[in-house]
Amino acid sequence: MRHTRFVVVKMRELLKTTLFAVLGVIIVVGLITFFLRMGDGESAGLYRDGTYEAELPLGQGTASVSVEIKDGRIADVTVTDEAETVSVMYPMVEDAAEEVAQQVVQNQSVENITVADTHTYSAQAVLDAVSACLEDAAK
């Protein structure tokens, strides 16, 4: 019986140790999850990456507005007209689209966009199409 030892464990210390072990596991799992999500790149900005398109109705014709999102930010806004009728029938749309595209990329939003007085209607039509694209891209 010389080799027999008695171990006295206090209940309070056992509970503290268990509690801290559980908290440690929760913190480690939370940190791993956090850093894995950061690595996806999707949480970097307001929008999901990709190219989003919307129609731009102009009289009897339509054009296509596309918004490119990279790293969660607006990278490019383009207006394309496959039939080229918009550039002939609505020449101010191209100028308004260039102004709007530049400001949307700079502001990263469709808010507080200012355009020349001659482009007000065209710019509003482009802004509406860009807004539709950004709604699709929103997280």
Side-chain angles (χ1 to χ4, degrees):
M1 282 210 48
R2 291 183 178 175
H3 300 290
T4 305
R5 294 185 181 177
F6 289 102
V7 177
V8 178
V9 178
K10 296 182 182 178
M11 185 59 90
R12 181 178 289 170
E13 299 221 5
L14 183 63
L15 287 174
K16 283 183 188 178
T17 304
T18 305
L19 178 68
F20 285 126
V22 169
L23 287 175
V25 168
I26 290 172
I27 290 172
V28 168
V29 169
L31 287 173
I32 290 171
T33 305
F34 174 75
F35 285 115
L36 286 177
R37 285 192 180 182
M38 277 186 57
D40 290 346
E42 286 191 29
S43 61
L46 298 173
Y47 307 107
R48 292 184 307 236
D49 289 352
T51 302
Y52 300 89
E53 294 187 8
E55 284 189 3
L56 175 61
L58 298 168
Q60 295 177 357
T62 60
S64 177
V65 174
S66 63
V67 177
E68 184 179 353
I69 307 292
K70 287 185 180 176
D71 298 327
R73 297 178 51 83
I74 302 169
D76 191 25
V77 176
T78 56
V79 176
T80 55
D81 176 28
E82 295 174 12
E84 295 183 13
T85 56
V86 174
S87 60
V88 174
M89 299 296 288
Y90 303 97
M92 289 187 194
V93 171
E94 288 183 20
D95 296 334
E98 288 177 19
E99 282 186 60
V100 168
Q102 182 182 15
Q103 290 185 37
V104 166
V105 171
Q106 183 180 0
N107 295 347
Q108 293 296 304
S109 170
V110 292
E111 302 295 321
N112 300 323
I113 303 295
T114 56
V115 293
D117 290 337
T118 56
H119 300 142
T120 304
Y121 174 76
S122 301
Q124 187 58 49
V126 173
L127 279 173
D128 290 343
V130 171
S131 293
C133 291
L134 293 179
E135 285 178 14
D136 291 343
K139 288 187 176 181

